[in-house]
Amino acid sequence: VTTILGIDPVPPPTDAASKKRLIKKDFEVLSVWSRVQGNYYQRAYLMNRGHNPSWTMAKTFELCAMFNISSIAVETVAYQATLKWLLEQEMARRQKFYTILPDKAPGNKSKYQKIVDTYGSLLQHGKLFVKKNHTDFITQFTDYPNVPNDDLLDAGAMALRALINPHLELNDSDYTVIDESDYEPLDFARGCP
């Protein structure tokens, strides 16, 4: 199994956001996806409202250990570049190292287009699977783009873009088995994409 952790962080609030009471608007999301024999499985996700780097560091290393993460996918612009630096500092402190993959989505595309392009190409071929109890994701996915926030979809899309990388392909003998009875395929109807 090749497993990637995608992180969609929340930057520190600006003075303008604080004045408008938008401090806790977005969710920080950590999303774990695995690729097994050409199929993509959402293994877990964690969400936390607002900016809290301590939570991000603690939960990142918890998920990395739990799912034997191969790499961590993050954007490397604006605050995300700071997150990359914070992760590297925490890795050095803990002496546990993971490859950080910069998200390679074209910068000139909107977030909407990045999400739709990433999920759509896999969804139409029946390659995406989620656990039945991933209700937050299923709801956000089904209602997209008419959702109050798309942080969960964005974090997952980052992980998926890294997993789709052909350089991460393994031989069939390298795969392990995922119990597919816990998963159900996503339907290609309405919503995203």
Side-chain angles (χ1 to χ4, degrees), residues 159-189:
L160 285 169
R161 284 191 293 274
L163 273 175
I164 294 168
N165 181 345
H167 299 292
L168 295 177
E169 288 298 330
L170 299 173
N171 298 321
D172 285 342
S173 62
D174 294 331
Y175 290 114
T176 59
V177 177
I178 286 182
D179 180 6
E180 293 186 12
S181 65
D182 287 343
Y183 293 86
E184 59 184 26
L186 286 172
D187 289 329
F188 187 62

Side-chain angles (χ1 to χ4, degrees), residues 1-6 31-45 63-64 66-71 122 127-131 134 156 159-164 168-170 175-180 183:
V1 175
T2 301
T3 303
I4 302 285
L5 170 63
S31 180
V32 178
W33 283 82
S34 295
R35 184 186 61 235
V36 180
Q37 297 179 337
N39 289 324
Y40 298 82
Y41 298 85
Q42 181 173 253
R43 307 287 298 283
Y45 59 82
L63 289 172
C64 285
M66 186 181 305
F67 292 101
N68 195 24
I69 298 294
S70 302
S71 302
L122 299 170
K127 299 290 187 184
L128 284 177
F129 297 85
V130 298
K131 289 186 175 183
H134 287 172
L160 285 169
R161 284 191 293 274
L163 273 175
I164 294 168
L168 295 177
E169 288 298 330
L170 299 173
Y175 290 114
T176 59
V177 177
I178 286 182
D179 180 6
E180 293 186 12
Y183 293 86

Side-chain angles (χ1 to χ4, degrees), residues 2-106:
T2 301
T3 303
I4 302 285
L5 170 63
I7 302 177
D8 182 26
V10 174
T14 63
D15 289 338
S18 296
K19 289 176 184 174
K20 293 180 182 177
R21 298 181 187 255
L22 297 175
I23 295 173
K24 299 246 181 196
K25 181 183 159 215
D26 288 335
F27 284 92
E28 184 128 318
V29 177
L30 286 72
S31 180
V32 178
W33 283 82
S34 295
R35 184 186 61 235
V36 180
Q37 297 179 337
N39 289 324
Y40 298 82
Y41 298 85
Q42 181 173 253
R43 307 287 298 283
Y45 59 82
L46 298 173
M47 299 170 40
N48 187 48
R49 193 178 287 277
H51 174 73
N52 185 344
S54 297
W55 179 88
T56 306
M57 294 304 120
K59 295 303 180 182
T60 294
F61 285 90
E62 182 180 308
L63 289 172
C64 285
M66 186 181 305
F67 292 101
N68 195 24
I69 298 294
S70 302
S71 302
I72 301 170
V74 296
E75 290 180 333
T76 54
V77 295
Y79 174 71
Q80 292 87 330
T82 302
L83 172 64
K84 179 182 181 294
W85 181 84
L86 289 170
L87 285 167
E88 290 167 346
Q89 297 304 306
E90 189 64 14
M91 285 181 206
R93 189 184 75 76
R94 292 178 184 233
Q95 290 297 295
K96 293 187 181 199
F97 298 93
Y98 302 93
T99 302
I100 298 178
L101 301 173
D103 185 35
K104 295 291 188 184

